[in-house]
Amino acid sequence: PAGGGEGKARKSRCSRSSRAGLIFSVSRVDRQLRRGGFALRFGATAAVYLSAVLQCVTNKTMDVAGKVSKKNKQQSISPSHLQEAMQKSPVLKKLLHANKPTRRGKAAPRSQSTASSTKKKVTKSKKR
C-alpha cells in the first residue's frame, strides 16, 4: 500500500445547478438566503427549489415579453414590453399583485386637519 499510487478516487466536481438541471445559480441563491436573515435554518433543497421557481417565473415573463415585442415588430425587448407582459399574463399578474395589502372594510385613514388651516384668512379692505 505504501508504494502504490492508488488512493481515493477523485470525484468530478459538479455544481448544484447542473445537478438540478437549472440555469439559475443555486449557490448564489443559497448565499443570499443565508445572508438575508429570513430564518435561522434552511433545508438542503430550499435554495434548489427557490432557484427553480425564479427560473420558471423569469422564463414565463421573457416568453410573454418576447411575444409582445414581436407583435410590435421590434427585435429587442424593452422595459415597456416587460410591463405589458406582466399585465397580459393572468398568472404573472396574480403572482405580482399577491403581496399588495388589502383593506378589509376599514375606511382609508385621513390626516387630522388643524383648526388654523380650516379658517379662511380675512383681508382688511383698505380705505382711500
Side-chain angles (χ1 to χ4, degrees):
E6 292 186 34
K8 291 183 179 179
R10 190 168 197 171
K11 291 183 180 178
S12 63
R13 299 183 74 152
C14 188
S15 68
R16 290 191 282 173
S17 299
S18 62
R19 273 187 269 158
L22 298 173
I23 297 171
F24 274 46
S25 174
V26 174
S27 299
R28 184 174 293 161
V29 170
D30 189 30
R31 186 179 68 236
Q32 295 296 330
L33 277 173
R34 294 188 191 286
R35 285 186 184 170
F38 302 106
L40 296 175
R41 300 166 65 187
F42 290 102
T45 58
V48 177
Y49 186 80
L50 184 56
S51 296
V53 169
L54 289 172
Q55 182 175 326
C56 181
V57 169
T58 304
N59 191 12
K60 174 84 171 161
T61 305
M62 295 306 286
D63 187 39
V64 176
K67 289 177 183 177
V68 169
S69 67
K70 199 176 241 186
K71 185 186 80 173
N72 293 340
K73 297 177 183 174
Q74 293 183 348
Q75 300 244 336
S76 59
I77 297 173
S78 68
S80 62
H81 295 145
L82 289 170
Q83 193 172 17
E84 192 174 336
M86 296 294 180
Q87 297 300 319
K88 278 192 169 188
S89 174
V91 175
L92 293 173
K93 193 173 186 179
K94 184 176 180 182
L95 178 71
L96 293 175
H97 292 292
N99 293 333
K100 285 191 177 179
T102 56
R103 300 208 181 265
R104 297 179 184 161
K106 293 183 180 179
R110 293 186 181 184
S111 60
Q112 295 285 334
S113 59
T114 59
S116 62
S117 64
T118 58
K119 292 181 181 179
K120 291 183 180 178
K121 292 184 180 179
V122 179
T123 58
K124 294 180 181 180
S125 60
K126 294 182 182 178
K127 294 182 180 178
R128 293 187 186 204

